[in-house]
Amino acid sequence: MPERRSAVVREGTNPEDLQSSRRPPLFTWGAAPWTVGLLLGLLGFALSVTALDRREDPTQNLTETELVQLLNGVRAQEDALDAERDALLQRKQAYENDRDLSAAQREARERSQELGILAGTLPAGGPGVVLELRPGDDQEDLAPLLLDAVQELRDAGAEAMQVNGHRIVASTWFLDGGSGTVVVDGEELEPPYRLEAIGPADTMRTAMEIPGGVVESGQEAGATVTVAKVGQVTVDATVPARGR
């Protein structure tokens, strides 16, 4: 028969002392998940490091000559980009210069045209008024009446004027010629007189029709004077340009 082993407890031994004399387990089930997680983390880190170590630098196997060629290629590409940038900057500057020049030329052309119209060397067209003056029988002193009309229209903003096809400028003068005629800058004009003016039509018409103005003064002198707004007045008479 097999021998039976029996635990012998000595008399006087405390059971609590016997329990404490046993060795503690290597690990408990409560700590097992933490231990497994730590091991898995270390394993993953080791695999990552191994994968990184296996990655090769694309230039580490190149020879010195190949590295020099690669560097020269990079430098050549940088030089090409710099040249393209400089070309674009030059084109931008040229465009801005052309734009400024075009604006200056346009402004100069417009200014020259304005001066030409004021000087009477260029024709003009635009809205304005037309004043007609028909002298009465044996009426004299028409030159002062025409001069007053020109001055009033100029003060009201007239830009260009002509009377019976004769251009009126700053130096224009009027003189009675007799028998109802008027001499303008040495040219004798015959009635009726048609004074055409380009400018703000409402303002110029009001200036002609105010009490004591040209219309009233002419009618009191026996003439027939009318003034009308016109949508398009053409002043095509010109004077020769003066040489410098």
Side-chain angles (χ1 to χ4, degrees):
M1 293 179 63
E3 183 180 359
R4 292 183 179 179
R5 295 182 181 180
S6 60
V8 178
V9 179
R10 295 180 182 179
E11 185 178 357
T13 302
N14 190 350
E16 294 180 357
D17 295 338
L18 182 61
Q19 183 69 23
S20 61
S21 63
R22 296 178 181 177
R23 293 182 178 180
L26 294 177
F27 63 89
T28 62
W29 287 107
W34 293 99
T35 304
V36 173
L38 179 60
L39 292 175
L40 291 177
L42 292 174
L43 179 60
F45 176 75
L47 292 176
S48 299
V49 172
T50 303
L52 290 175
D53 291 340
R54 290 180 179 177
R55 293 181 181 177
E56 295 183 355
D57 185 356
T59 62
Q60 68 180 0
N61 294 328
L62 297 179
T63 64
E64 182 178 354
T65 302
E66 292 173 338
L67 289 174
V68 171
Q69 293 177 351
L70 179 61
L71 180 59
N72 291 336
V74 173
R75 289 177 177 174
Q77 187 176 7
E78 290 180 353
D79 293 340
L81 291 175
D82 290 340
E84 184 177 359
R85 181 199 60 188
D86 294 340
L88 290 175
L89 290 176
Q90 291 177 358
R91 290 176 58 186
K92 177 176 177 291
Q93 186 64 39
Y95 173 76
E96 292 178 351
N97 293 338
D98 291 342
R99 183 177 58 184
D100 294 341
L101 180 60
S102 298
Q105 290 176 342
R106 182 171 59 254
E107 183 178 355
R109 183 169 56 251
E110 292 176 354
R111 180 58 178 168
S112 177
Q113 185 174 6
E114 292 176 359
L115 293 176
I117 292 175
L118 292 176
T121 58
L122 293 177
V129 297
V130 175
L131 181 142
E132 291 188 356
L133 172 61
R134 295 178 179 272
D137 295 338
D138 300 328
Q139 183 179 358
E140 302 291 341
D141 299 332
L142 295 174
L145 186 60
L146 284 175
L147 179 59
D148 288 343
V150 169
Q151 291 177 342
E152 292 294 337
L153 289 172
R154 185 175 289 133
D155 292 340
E159 301 172 3
M161 290 179 283
Q162 67 181 16
V163 55
N164 288 17
H166 184 94
R167 187 65 173 265
I168 298 174
V169 294
S171 60
T172 296
W173 52 271
F174 296 84
L175 181 66
D176 285 315
S179 301
T181 63
V182 176
V183 179
V184 181
D185 293 333
E187 180 182 358
E188 187 174 11
L189 305 180
E190 295 182 355
Y193 301 103
R194 179 181 175 88
L195 178 58
E196 299 168 290
I198 297 173
D202 291 331
T203 304
M204 293 190 296
R205 181 177 180 179
T206 301
M208 294 293 98
E209 295 179 342
I210 60 175
V214 173
V215 173
E216 184 175 301
S217 299
Q219 291 174 349
E220 290 178 352
T224 301
V225 185
T226 60
V227 58
K229 293 170 51 178
V230 180
Q232 181 66 26
V233 176
T234 300
V235 176
D236 50 8
T238 59
V239 298
R242 295 182 179 180
R244 295 182 179 179

